Amino acid sequence: MSQPAPDLSAFEPASLVGATLDGRYELTGHLATGGMGAVFRAQHVHLRKEFAVKVLRPDLTTSPDLVERFRREAEIASALEHDNIVKVSDFGRSSEGYLFLVMELLQGESLFERLRREGVLPPAAAVPILWQICSALEAAHARGVVHRDLKPENVFLARTSSGREVTKILDFGIAKFMDPASGSATQAGVVVGTPEYLAPEQAMGTAVDARADVYAVGLIAWRMLVGHHPFKAEDARGLLMMQATRPVPPMVEWRQDLAAHPALVAAVAKACEKEAGARHQSAALLGDALAAALGPAFMIPPGATPAPAPSLDGLSPVQLRELLRTPSQAGGARTKMLAILAVGRARVSRLFTERLPRAARESVHQVRAHPVAWGIGTAALIGLAVAIGMFAHSRGRAVATARELLASNRALEARAVLDDALEHRPEDPELLELHTAAEQGVVRAEQEARLSRARTLHRSGRHAEAIEAYAAARAKGPLDDVALADLVSDLGRERSLADRATRVLRDEGARAVPAVLRAAATASGNHRLRGLTLARDLGAEDQIDRVAAWTGLLADSDCELRRAAARRLGELGDAAALAALRKAAQAKTETKGGLFSKPKQTPACGAPDADAAVRRIQAARLSPRR
């Protein structure tokens, strides 16, 4: 019997809540809607276990190509068993004709949402996420699968029941099995994927392999560390042209503070090379380079799976040397060990072991004493892994490393070291004390990252975005002197920007007073008026010479400023303003007369206000005091 045709009317995901697909999955809530369908929270009616169920839009089920793409996503994703790839457990078509995909239910947010909220991530927060992406990709690439549509929306930062965050790659919907027989990973001339993160070879519709995913990770890293995408175009076609032809600019052009992380800048730049042969030749090598950029503070995220080591068969001496040049970090230890076995113990063991801590070197020396084990490699790998593990979990080393990192203002890295140590010694008072210090340092570092992004926007002339970024930073903590100076300078800009800056400064309160008073006393025109008005709102106007500040506006070319100054001086009632007010009250404006009449002089704009202020001050002086 054929399946009933699905309803091709407008897809309304909310209407499916409460439905049961294939008699097994009850849709209990709507989570999200995308271009191909919607994702629901669901419960298996027999197992009573919760899942996420992706339902294809009914109108798309009439397209054989899209149905095949959906089926391929299920096939590929279910075959990829890795901690950093979302698990797919089922696929089917309901009796109503809905195609659906069943996945593990994740709690958390996408990288896109994180970046939209935070703007930019500091290196110590970005690298562990990127390393997990690389680990997942290497697992996929090892099975001949290229994702081809990596972007922040397809990277999910899942929160486990224990509170640990794990990065997951989603949506293998346009992934492709590399076909060795054809020598091409995709059909030539066909462009697939999201333009913002397409590799040049994808943009040009030429052959694609795993290095296209490396390029996408490079651009994602660029976006995470800088705060925006490196390219901006009017439309998708323009963006594709940039991807195909324009070099990715250095990150330090936008974030000069990243110059303190040259290895990280170099790793991202290499991943973003236009020529596939100039990039890291595998996701594992990119992951190793990113991890190495953080130095000894980098540790494999708890529960994460290191990338599998690629086969070294057939690698050229140049490629083997690239493996050996990569500092030993996390998942790279296994790859490097295999490289040692491939090129010979005597030639490279000294260079390699010099980079390991003493415990690891001793382990390698012990392994070296057993030629059979060395030749096979298994015991060597086990011995090295144990030694590195013992080193990483050493309490004394953790304390020393954390203190060193805290002393150099690398609190996020210190916290990662302490998190790992506390898993083994959760009640250790010294570790707990250091962890508290690290948490406080992380808060400061995150605030500095927000402020750095806002400063960058302000320096580049994007003042509206900068003010919003400063407002977001102020919601998380106090602003620094540079931020306050930037916002006070914005008081002199167009009214909409000045009003927004005023709100942020008013929220900052007493800390904003010194910067506001400087503008009130030394600026001119509207800038001074807004500074004076804000100083008054903050209760700080009496901390400057108010008469001098306001009388300075009586001669301004703007009539409204003269009137505002006169009115305020009248309110202040200070006799020291009388001389300037009388002069302003006597100011005349000459108007041309007619053919037979003389020019006329009339009171200048603001003169009546100045005269009223004079009378008000004099009346106050003559009034008997009570």
Side-chain angles (χ1 to χ4, degrees), residues 83 132 160 164-166 299-305 416 419-420 423:
D83 289 338
Q132 291 176 79
T160 67
R164 178 168 55 86
E165 188 172 272
V166 179
M299 302 183 74
I300 298 177
T305 302
D419 281 342
D420 186 73
E423 283 196 4

Side-chain angles (χ1 to χ4, degrees), residues 246-293:
R246 183 174 298 182
V248 175
M251 293 191 295
V252 291
E253 288 186 5
W254 291 91
R255 286 280 309 277
Q256 294 181 358
D257 56 308
L258 288 176
H261 302 274
L264 180 59
V265 171
V268 174
K270 182 173 182 177
C272 294
E273 287 285 356
K274 293 298 174 181
E275 293 294 330
R279 298 173 207 148
H280 305 88
Q281 296 302 289
S282 72
L285 288 174
L286 172 56
D288 285 351
L290 292 169

Side-chain angles (χ1 to χ4, degrees), residues 459-513:
R459 299 296 179 271
S460 62
R462 298 159 66 181
H463 298 112
E465 294 176 67
I467 294 172
E468 292 306 311
Y470 276 135
R474 209 221 71 78
K476 297 291 186 179
L479 300 177
D480 60 11
D481 291 342
V482 175
L484 295 173
D486 283 348
L487 289 165
V488 167
S489 73
D490 290 330
L491 296 178
R493 304 190 192 281
E494 62 184 81
R495 187 178 186 85
S496 63
L497 292 176
D499 288 346
R500 290 155 75 181
T502 296
R503 286 194 293 271
V504 180
L505 290 166
R506 188 182 292 119
D507 289 342
E508 186 69 2
R511 290 197 73 262
V513 166

Side-chain angles (χ1 to χ4, degrees), residues 68 110 112 140 149 168 212 245 302 323 377 444 469 475 502 581 602:
E68 173 59 19
S110 70
F112 176 82
D149 194 25
K168 300 270 189 176
T245 62
L323 287 176
R444 292 192 296 271
T502 296
L581 284 168
T602 57

Side-chain angles (χ1 to χ4, degrees), residues 400-486:
T401 301
R403 289 192 185 280
E404 181 182 342
L405 290 169
L406 287 172
S408 40
N409 296 319
R410 295 161 68 184
L412 195 59
E413 299 166 49
R415 186 179 68 176
V417 171
L418 292 164
D419 281 342
D420 186 73
L422 283 167
E423 283 196 4
H424 301 274
R425 297 174 179 83
E427 305 298 327
D428 189 301
E430 187 175 16
L431 291 175
L432 289 171
E433 181 182 355
L434 285 170
H435 194 273
T436 299
E439 287 284 6
Q440 295 169 349
V442 167
V443 171
R444 292 192 296 271
E446 290 175 344
Q447 180 69 345
E448 174 54 34
R450 297 184 192 100
L451 292 172
S452 177
R453 174 175 180 264
R455 286 194 293 268
T456 299
L457 291 169
H458 204 274
R459 299 296 179 271
S460 62
R462 298 159 66 181
H463 298 112
E465 294 176 67
I467 294 172
E468 292 306 311
Y470 276 135
R474 209 221 71 78
K476 297 291 186 179
L479 300 177
D480 60 11
D481 291 342
V482 175
L484 295 173
D486 283 348

Side-chain angles (χ1 to χ4, degrees), residues 132-333:
Q132 291 176 79
I133 294 173
C134 290
S135 180
L137 287 175
E138 191 62 26
H141 296 164
R143 298 183 67 94
V145 176
V146 183
H147 191 288
R148 301 197 302 166
D149 194 25
L150 277 173
K151 52 188 175 182
E153 293 91 326
N154 284 341
V155 176
F156 197 85
L157 307 177
R159 185 70 61 180
T160 67
S161 57
S162 64
R164 178 168 55 86
E165 188 172 272
V166 179
T167 301
K168 300 270 189 176
I169 293 184
L170 312 177
D171 194 4
F172 279 82
I174 62 172
K176 185 75 175 179
F177 281 108
M178 292 179 285
D179 182 2
S182 67
S184 173
T186 189
Q187 183 179 350
V190 177
V191 178
V192 293
T194 304
E196 285 86 347
Y197 297 93
L198 281 186
E201 55 268 31
Q202 282 178 279
M204 294 184 289
T206 57
V208 170
D209 60 23
R211 294 170 296 182
D213 286 345
V214 170
Y215 181 87
V217 177
L219 286 188
I220 291 172
W222 206 102
R223 167 68 182 85
M224 293 169 74
L225 294 164
V226 176
H228 59 84
H229 194 277
F231 297 135
K232 186 176 181 180
E234 296 297 326
D235 53 26
R237 178 174 295 180
L239 193 53
L240 288 173
M241 287 298 297
M242 288 181 173
Q243 295 285 31
T245 62
R246 183 174 298 182
V248 175
M251 293 191 295
V252 291
E253 288 186 5
W254 291 91
R255 286 280 309 277
Q256 294 181 358
D257 56 308
L258 288 176
H261 302 274
L264 180 59
V265 171
V268 174
K270 182 173 182 177
C272 294
E273 287 285 356
K274 293 298 174 181
E275 293 294 330
R279 298 173 207 148
H280 305 88
Q281 296 302 289
S282 72
L285 288 174
L286 172 56
D288 285 351
L290 292 169
L294 287 187
F298 179 80
M299 302 183 74
I300 298 177
T305 302
S311 170
L312 301 179
D313 294 340
L315 290 185
S316 68
V318 172
Q319 292 169 315
L320 287 170
R321 282 197 297 272
E322 182 179 2
L323 287 176
L324 291 171
R325 281 197 302 268
T326 305
S328 178
Q329 290 287 345

